[in-house]
Amino acid sequence: MLEIIATTLMDAVTIEKNGGERIELVSALSEGGLTPSYGLVKQVICSVTIPVNVMIRPHSTSFQYSREEIEIMKEDARMFNELGVKHVVLGVLDYQGLPNMDDISYILDDTNLTATFHRAIDESSDLSASLQLLTSNKRITHVLTSGGPGKAEDNLFKIKELIRESEDLTLIIASGIHAGNISAIQNEVDFVFENEEDGLKDYDIHVGTGVRTGKSELPVSPEEVRQIAALYKNHRVVI
């Protein structure tokens, strides 16, 4: 699927109207995305029909959280679940730099939510080990990654390796994707798997500033969403 970041109700409506297939709803995009307000979440899920994945991230200082912050994240998860959200986006690392599976399970317990583990994995101490840990919690269905620090197009070798190792998880390729490079990224990833016995594996594409003229503070551009959606969908039809 083609997932695009929204920070406002207008962003979300624009994404749906112009070909986006899924929304990641956040606040503070310039900080990498933080938990959006209850009011915004309610308005967005009542106004669009495509899936809306909601960020749960209380601050941008690090991906290690205090017990008080974990309780805040758990309360946000409970509140969003009651509101009708189906899927959230979160990431918690322990002090060894690996996904904190106990805290993740605690946050999601007592809800019906599924989750994406976000780009906290790109700051983990071991990408492959982190991915294997994440497969142990069946609530986690997706992993958002650029294959390590930096942009996706600079880490395609590692991204392909992670897709191969992802088992039942769906990888979402993220960071620095725009109309000028989306086709090249898809071609590079698909070329490897076309020649393998198991064939192509599913993966998603995630776009943030790539539909905001490269600036996080700008609103989503309808024209840029249409352009990148057309490239994404045409590539998918061709393969």
Side-chain angles (χ1 to χ4, degrees):
M1 298 185 78
L2 176 62
E3 176 180 279
I4 300 177
I5 294 176
T7 64
T8 66
L9 176 59
M10 184 58 70
D11 279 351
V13 171
T14 299
I15 291 165
E16 180 173 53
K17 283 185 176 179
N18 292 281
E21 297 174 324
R22 186 172 66 222
I23 290 165
E24 184 187 76
L25 185 62
V26 311
S27 66
L29 179 56
S30 62
E31 296 185 53
L34 300 177
T35 309
S37 72
Y38 177 96
L40 176 60
V41 174
K42 183 177 181 179
Q43 285 196 2
V44 169
I45 65 174
C46 290
S47 300
V48 300
T49 59
I50 60 175
V52 179
N53 296 350
V54 180
M55 177 72 79
I56 299 180
R57 187 182 178 212
H59 63 69
S60 60
T61 306
S62 74
F63 296 113
Q64 284 93 26
Y65 300 105
S66 68
R67 294 319 304 168
E68 292 80 8
E69 289 164 343
I70 293 296
E71 291 297 335
I72 290 169
M73 296 172 77
K74 184 175 179 66
E75 179 62 16
D76 284 337
R78 184 197 64 78
M79 178 182 69
F80 291 150
N81 183 71
E82 291 184 356
L83 194 57
V85 172
K86 305 298 184 186
H87 192 96
V88 294
V89 183
L90 50 72
V92 184
L93 298 178
D94 62 24
Y95 288 97
Q96 284 71 51
L98 295 171
N100 190 321
M101 302 308 296
D102 289 341
D103 281 348
I104 292 167
S105 294
Y106 178 71
I107 291 166
L108 297 174
D109 277 350
D110 305 317
T111 75
N112 298 314
L113 297 167
T114 54
T116 293
F117 192 91
H118 60 48
R119 291 192 61 208
I121 194 171
D122 294 325
E123 296 191 18
S124 68
S125 56
D126 187 317
L127 283 167
S128 294
S130 294
L131 191 67
Q132 290 308 305
L133 278 172
L134 293 170
T135 64
S136 68
N137 187 324
K138 297 308 177 185
R139 294 285 194 91
I140 300 171
T141 58
H142 293 69
V143 176
L144 181 71
T145 181
S146 59
K151 305 297 186 184
E153 64 184 344
D154 298 323
N155 298 319
L156 289 176
F157 179 82
K158 186 61 180 181
I159 286 170
K160 289 181 283 188
E161 184 178 290
L162 292 172
I163 292 173
R164 188 177 287 108
E165 297 171 352
S166 59
E167 297 184 14
D168 293 333
L169 295 170
T170 298
L171 254 69
I172 310 174
I173 304 174
S175 187
I177 298 176
H178 51 76
N181 65 10
I182 184 172
S183 295
I185 289 171
Q186 289 178 280
N187 287 336
E188 175 71 17
V189 172
D190 291 345
F191 176 77
V192 172
F193 295 104
E194 285 173 350
N195 299 313
E196 293 194 357
E197 185 176 334
D198 294 335
L200 289 170
K201 293 192 70 174
D202 288 339
Y203 63 89
D204 296 343
I205 295 286
H206 173 95
V207 182
T209 59
V211 291
R212 299 169 184 268
T213 319
K215 297 181 179 179
S216 61
E217 67 272 17
L218 293 179
V220 166
S221 161
E223 295 80 9
E224 291 182 22
V225 174
R226 285 197 296 272
Q227 183 182 18
I228 204 162
L231 290 166
Y232 177 78
K233 291 171 184 176
N234 287 341
H235 176 85
R236 191 167 56 186
V237 168
V238 168
I239 63 171

